[in-house]
Amino acid sequence: MEQTLSIIKPDAVAKGVIGKILDRFESNGLKIAATKKMQLSRVDAETFYAIHSERPFFKDLVDFMISGPVVVTVLEGENAVATNRDLMGATNPKEAEAGTIRADFAENIDANAVHGSDSAENAAIEIKFFFAGREIS
Ligand code: CMP
């Protein structure tokens, strides 16, 4: 069993598709081990995305991620990292395969509906950033 972190971003929360996105996970063999809705602070978003701090899109990314509440979720299952990335589709929704979350719910590369960990190592770091051990079951 593997775990990964999902964030339903402010655009998808504002659209009212939290339930539809969580259903994609549960319908495709991923268990919700923990989930919560929260408003990120600027420091939260800057710290979470620190790996991108030198990228030209960093400020827009942080501004977007604090523009409204998000839903952070720990997903668990076999190959959870890869399964979640398949379900999300390409980072740029214009390149995302039909039937993926980003193809169905995202507008553009900034407002791209969901984030998912890109490796099991990063998943462990990202999960620890948002959840205490006792919140995950
Ligand atoms: P996410 O998976 O949350 O990781 C970083 C985010 O930066 C990414 O999704 C996009 O929403 C955003 N972003 C904006 N521009 C780019 C870009 N050129 N390349 C990658 N990510 C980008």
Side-chain angles (χ1 to χ4, degrees):
M1 281 299 152
E2 191 173 72
Q3 291 184 334
T4 189
L5 184 90
S6 160
I7 305 179
I8 302 179
K9 296 189 181 186
D11 57 320
V13 172
K15 267 188 197 164
V17 294
I18 296 169
K20 285 184 177 159
I21 293 176
L22 294 179
D23 180 57
R24 299 275 175 114
F25 302 141
E26 292 193 309
S27 298
N28 287 279
L30 294 175
K31 191 186 119 192
I32 294 170
T35 192
K36 60 188 171 190
K37 187 178 180 195
M38 62 190 295
Q39 172 67 49
L40 299 183
S41 68
R42 182 167 293 278
V43 171
D44 287 334
E46 285 175 352
T47 307
F48 182 79
Y49 279 119
I51 195 168
H52 294 306
S53 61
E54 302 303 318
R55 307 284 290 274
F57 57 82
F58 182 65
K59 184 171 184 304
D60 286 347
L61 172 62
V62 169
D63 285 345
F64 175 66
M65 291 301 289
I66 65 173
S67 67
V70 298
V71 174
V72 290
T73 300
V74 178
L75 299 171
E76 194 172 281
E78 248 176 73
N79 300 316
V81 171
T83 302
N84 181 40
R85 291 182 76 77
D86 287 347
L87 292 173
M88 288 193 299
T91 304
N92 186 345
K94 290 186 182 78
E95 293 162 11
E97 255 182 70
T100 60
I101 292 169
R102 284 170 171 153
D104 290 347
F105 302 118
E107 303 303 326
N108 55 59
I109 197 164
D110 295 307
N112 68 347
V114 279
H115 163 83
S117 310
D118 64 3
S119 66
E121 288 110 308
N122 283 337
I125 295 166
E126 293 182 356
I127 289 167
K128 216 167 171 191
F129 183 81
F130 283 115
F131 292 95
R134 67 181 180 282
E135 294 179 291
I136 304 169
S137 58

